[in-house]
Amino acid sequence: MTQAARRGDGLTASLWAMGGAVFAFIYLPLVVVIVYAFHDSPIIAWPLRLGTLKWFTALAHDRGILDAALASVKLALLAVAIALVVGVPGAFVLDRSEFPGKTAFRRLVLLPLILPGIITGVALLTFFSFVGLRLSSGFPLVPGWPVVLGHSAALTSVVITQVFARLQRFDRAQEEASQDLYANEWQTFRYVTFPNIRTAVLGAGLLVFTLSLDEIAVTFFLIGRQNTLPLQIWGLLRRGITPEVNAASAVIFLVSVVVIVIWARLMREEPQT
C-alpha cells in the first residue's frame, strides 16, 4: 500500500471516528432516557434492572399527563390548521407575485424561526395584552386562543418555506397546458397544481405538528389554565427525574421520530411531470 493510500485510509478512519463521536454526543442522552424508562427501580441508578413496562402503565393512568397530552394534541392540530391556511397562500404570493421589498419579505418570513422562543413569547404576550385577549379564552382542554395563535404565528414560516421551495421546482408549463385545454383556475389548481405540492403541504403540516408538540418557550408565556405536555413534564422535573418522566419522554421521542421520518419521505418526492 502506498503512502498516499495509507494517508487516505487514516483520514477516512478519523472522519468516521469524529462522526461517531458527534452522533454519540447528540443521541446518547436520548438512549439513556429510553433505557431508564424500562428500569424496574424508581431510583435512577446502577445497576439497571430492565424489562418492566410498569412506568408506561403508570403513565397511562396519570390523569394530569393525559389531560396535558390531549391539550397538546388539540393545540398542535389547531396550529397546523391555521399555519396551513395562512402559509400556503403566503407561499403562492412569494412564488407568483412581484412587489416592492419581496426579497426582504422572504428574509423576514424566516424571522420567527431565528428569534429565540423567549423573545417571540414576550412579544406575543405584550400584543395580546394590548388587544385585550385573555390567556384563558379557548375551548375546554385547549390552553386558550392566545397560545394557539402564538404557535401558529411562530410556525407559519415553516409552511411558507416548505411549500415555496416545492413551488420553485414546479413546472408552470403544466398549468399553462391545463388552461389551454379550457380548464378554469380552480380546476387547474385542483387537478394540476395541488397534486404537485400535496406532499410538501402534508410534510409541512407534520413538521408544524411535531414542533408545536415540543414547543415550551412560547407556550410558557401564553398558557392559560390548562398545561401542555412539555410544561407538565417540566413541572414534574421540579421533584426530580423519575422513571415516569422517562417513559413520557420515550413516548414523545417515538412519536416525533415517526412524524419526522414521514415528513422526510414526503419531502423527497419529486413534483409530478
Side-chain angles (χ1 to χ4, degrees):
M1 181 181 294
T2 64
Q3 185 176 0
R6 285 195 297 270
R7 283 201 302 268
D9 291 342
L11 178 61
T12 300
S14 299
L15 291 175
W16 274 103
M18 291 176 60
V22 170
F23 274 94
F25 177 76
I26 295 174
Y27 293 109
L28 189 57
L30 296 175
V31 173
V32 171
V33 167
I34 294 173
V35 167
Y36 271 118
F38 299 93
H39 182 43
D40 185 64
S41 173
I43 301 175
I44 299 179
W46 292 88
L48 291 176
R49 298 198 300 270
L50 302 179
T52 183
L53 296 176
K54 66 180 182 180
W55 305 118
F56 292 93
T57 303
L59 188 67
H61 290 85
D62 190 318
R63 178 51 56 184
I65 288 183
L66 292 179
D67 287 346
L70 181 59
S72 290
V73 171
K74 288 184 176 182
L75 169 59
L77 290 175
L78 288 171
V80 168
I82 296 174
L84 290 179
V85 168
V86 177
V88 173
F92 272 90
V93 169
L94 284 179
D95 183 64
R96 306 294 172 87
S97 303
E98 294 296 333
F99 52 88
K102 178 179 178 179
T103 302
F105 181 74
R106 286 179 57 186
R107 302 293 186 269
L108 289 174
V109 165
L110 298 175
L111 194 59
L113 296 177
I114 299 173
L115 282 176
I118 188 172
I119 301 299
T120 303
V122 170
L124 290 170
L125 177 61
T126 303
F127 174 75
F128 290 136
S129 298
F130 176 76
V131 299
L133 186 59
R134 294 182 296 109
L135 298 184
S136 60
S137 58
F139 295 130
L141 289 180
V142 174
W145 281 114
V147 72
V148 172
L149 296 176
H151 279 218
S152 304
L155 299 174
T156 294
S157 54
V158 173
V159 178
I160 294 177
T161 53
Q162 296 290 320
V163 178
F164 175 74
R166 180 59 60 85
L167 286 171
Q168 290 285 289
R169 296 157 52 195
F170 173 52
D171 186 3
R172 296 283 298 277
Q174 297 182 50
E175 293 179 330
E176 296 172 359
S178 174
Q179 294 170 356
D180 288 341
L181 295 172
Y182 304 103
N184 57 37
E185 292 184 359
W186 166 247
Q187 290 171 326
T188 298
F189 176 80
R190 179 181 178 183
Y191 296 110
V192 178
T193 308
F194 184 72
N196 280 276
I197 67 170
R198 177 175 53 203
T199 55
V201 173
L202 292 174
L206 289 173
L207 189 56
V208 169
F209 182 82
T210 303
L211 294 174
S212 178
L213 281 181
D214 296 336
E215 174 59 46
I216 190 169
V218 173
T219 308
F220 179 82
F221 287 96
L222 302 178
I223 195 66
R225 289 188 293 264
Q226 173 67 40
N227 262 349
T228 59
L229 186 57
L231 289 180
Q232 183 75 13
I233 293 176
W234 180 72
L236 293 175
L237 288 175
R238 295 178 179 179
R239 301 194 298 266
I241 301 176
T242 65
E244 189 175 348
V245 171
N246 289 329
S249 302
V251 172
I252 295 173
F253 174 74
L254 178 61
V255 172
S256 300
V257 167
V258 170
V259 173
I260 292 299
V261 168
I262 296 174
W263 168 79
R265 290 178 64 87
L266 289 173
M267 296 310 296
R268 283 205 304 265
E269 293 188 15
E270 294 291 330
Q272 299 176 7
T273 58

